[in-house]
Amino acid sequence: QKARHMKMCAVALNDFKLMLRRQYGPLFRAWRRVLDQDGSMTLQRAELFKVCRQINWTGNMRTLWKALDNDGSGATTFEELDPHGARLLAEFRSWALGIWGTKMSAPMFKELDNHNKRKLSYKEFAQGCDRGGFPMQRAHVVATHLDWRAAKCIQEDDLSVLDIWRPPDWLIALPNESAAEEFKACLLKKYGHFVRAWRQAMDKDNTNRCSWYEFTHAAKRIKFTGDVPGAWVVFDTDLSGIISLRAIDPVSSTHFMDFKKWVDQEFGGCRYAFKAMDPHKTNSLNFREFRSACRSYGYQGDITSLFASLDQHGNKHVLILDEVAFLDDWDTDDGPGNLSPDDLEAAASGARDANAAPKTTQFVTPGPG
């Protein structure tokens, strides 16, 4: 059910972005014209719902909000709507910051507008940036983003948003593989196992999702003093602003996801699976009992490695319910930004089917396995 909900979020976000692009062009133009009308570079839930009604978007607004506020902060930002567009603008802002300082818009425009025309064509803007060291082709794309009125030119107040916006550090960070390895070493040093570190330091709400905010707090907790943004970019390969256990410990993540899919199909969840595997009602399973039950019910995965990853409470090779049941609350790794076009179409088709007339189906299941 959670996996289906995540796919519905992806469909809603994809449909919303397609509508914005059709009506406004670049997403940053849509952001400034209709979404962020107060210029704060943040968007609250009530503001989003109001905009959806104004532009006649007919999708599920609550599902859309869930997709946009993917870190659960209670507000969404442009980098959550368009992380790749935000990265380009953040790199441009970082370049301008190094030349004109934090209040960059006025002095930058004055220097670029050397003929005092009070407006610059995209070509003039790009050429001026290129002379200052920012590549012309990328500057031309930046111009199309900043031109929020679709006037085909850049004016001084188009740049004012750069004075206000404070992009997160990870948006302009370069991947730092050594910092990522050092971060993982600090996790192991403090917790002994990546899964224990993930559950106790990085994913305290047990969703299999760690935001940039949670990551920085985990770095402080494990006393990691290296390049935090550089390490994050190594893990957050799709610039979604969210990572899962797969980024930290892909082996354990694969075991967990394979096991979770199996128990969901065979038992309806990990709690039910544990009860079925625990016939003596001791609320615990040693390795031999767990292996025997998995084999009896038809699990084909690596049971030894799975058990080692699940056994996180130091119970001397004994699993308790909590060490297995937590997987019931996990999201899958398919976050709103990670679905392929085919997945999106399939999910959209499922959404249409869900809205169709209900059908009655009889299910007969002899038993797990």
Side-chain angles (χ1 to χ4, degrees):
Q1 196 172 24
K2 268 191 175 181
R4 180 178 177 276
H5 178 67
M6 291 299 295
K7 288 185 177 180
M8 296 305 297
C9 288
V11 170
L13 181 58
N14 186 63
D15 288 348
F16 185 68
K17 289 164 75 170
L18 285 174
M19 181 178 183
L20 291 178
R21 284 193 172 101
R22 282 196 301 266
Q23 292 191 18
Y24 303 101
L27 288 176
F28 192 64
R29 184 180 296 169
W31 175 266
R32 293 201 64 190
R33 287 185 67 173
V34 296
L35 293 171
D36 181 30
Q37 296 183 11
D38 61 0
S40 64
M41 288 301 290
T42 60
L43 185 68
Q44 304 294 325
R45 173 172 158 157
E47 293 176 310
L48 176 69
F49 286 10
K50 182 179 178 181
V51 168
C52 287
R53 287 189 288 267
Q54 288 174 345
I55 65 176
N56 297 317
W57 189 71
T58 58
N60 188 316
M61 291 185 285
R62 289 179 175 82
T63 302
L64 174 62
W65 177 255
K66 175 68 175 177
L68 282 171
D69 184 24
N70 58 26
D71 60 358
S73 64
T76 191
T77 57
F78 179 64
E79 53 265 25
E80 291 176 285
L81 176 69
D82 183 13
H84 293 280
R87 185 177 182 88
L88 174 62
L89 289 173
E91 290 174 349
F92 177 79
R93 183 186 180 277
S94 178
W95 165 77
L97 183 67
I99 300 175
W100 295 287
T102 54
K103 297 297 182 180
M104 63 192 72
S105 61
M108 174 167 51
F109 189 83
K110 183 177 180 180
E111 184 167 332
L112 296 178
D113 183 26
N114 48 26
H115 298 296
N116 199 27
K117 296 190 301 182
R118 298 186 180 180
K119 63 180 180 180
L120 297 167
S121 68
Y122 292 173
K123 183 178 180 179
E124 290 171 331
F125 178 83
Q127 288 175 338
C129 293
D130 187 64
R131 288 193 296 271
F134 194 83
M136 182 183 299
Q137 187 174 3
R138 290 167 62 81
H140 193 279
V141 178
V142 169
T144 64
H145 284 62
L146 293 174
D147 178 22
W148 62 280
R149 285 174 293 234
K152 300 295 183 181
C153 65
I154 297 298
Q155 302 176 48
E156 183 176 333
D157 69 333
D158 293 331
L159 306 178
S160 61
V161 66
L162 301 175
D163 297 338
I164 301 169
W165 188 33
R166 296 295 183 268
D169 293 337
W170 61 267
L171 262 184
I172 56 174
L174 296 176
N176 189 331
E177 293 287 349
S178 61
E181 291 302 318
E182 184 183 349
F183 180 86
K184 291 169 69 173
C186 289
L187 289 176
L188 288 179
K189 181 179 180 181
K190 183 171 179 64
Y191 295 100
H193 196 287
F194 286 133
V195 175
R196 186 180 296 120
W198 177 260
R199 295 190 63 195
Q200 295 184 18
M202 301 180 69
D203 181 31
K204 292 183 179 181
D205 56 354
N206 196 36
T207 59
N208 193 28
R209 294 159 64 85
C210 175
S211 67
W212 163 249
Y213 177 80
E214 292 170 316
F215 186 81
T216 56
H217 276 259
K220 292 177 183 177
R221 187 167 183 176
I222 63 176
K223 295 180 171 57
F224 173 67
T225 57
D227 181 7
V228 177
W232 170 265
V233 175
V234 172
F235 300 133
D236 183 21
T237 55
D238 61 352
L239 295 180
S240 66
I242 294 290
I243 62 173
S244 68
L245 176 63
R246 182 192 295 176
I248 303 296
D249 185 2
V251 174
S252 293
S253 176
T254 299
H255 292 323
F256 286 170
M257 287 303 163
D258 289 346
F259 182 70
K260 176 177 170 59
K261 291 174 183 176
W262 176 71
V263 297
D264 284 349
Q265 182 178 2
E266 296 292 338
F267 299 92
C270 294
R271 288 174 175 82
Y272 296 120
F274 192 90
K275 290 179 180 179
M277 294 178 179
D278 180 28
H280 304 298
K281 311 302 179 186
T282 61
N283 289 323
S284 64
L285 290 169
N286 61 36
F287 174 70
R288 182 176 296 179
E289 293 170 332
F290 182 75
R291 180 180 60 187
S292 176
C294 286
R295 288 176 175 174
S296 297
Y297 287 122
Y299 181 63
Q300 302 296 318
D302 185 344
I303 300 173
T304 302
S305 298
L306 171 64
F307 189 93
S309 295
L310 288 171
D311 183 19
Q312 294 301 311
H313 284 159
N315 295 320
K316 297 181 180 179
H317 307 297
V318 174
L319 290 182
I320 59 177
L321 178 60
D322 177 63
E323 291 176 316
V324 179
F326 76 93
L327 290 173
D328 281 338
D329 298 323
W330 269 29
D331 289 337
T332 65
D333 283 335
D334 292 324
N338 297 335
L339 296 182
S340 68
D342 290 341
D343 291 332
L344 288 169
E345 177 57 32
S349 177
R352 290 190 290 269
D353 292 343
N355 292 328
K359 299 178 181 180
T360 302
T361 305
Q362 181 179 2
F363 292 93
V364 178
T365 305

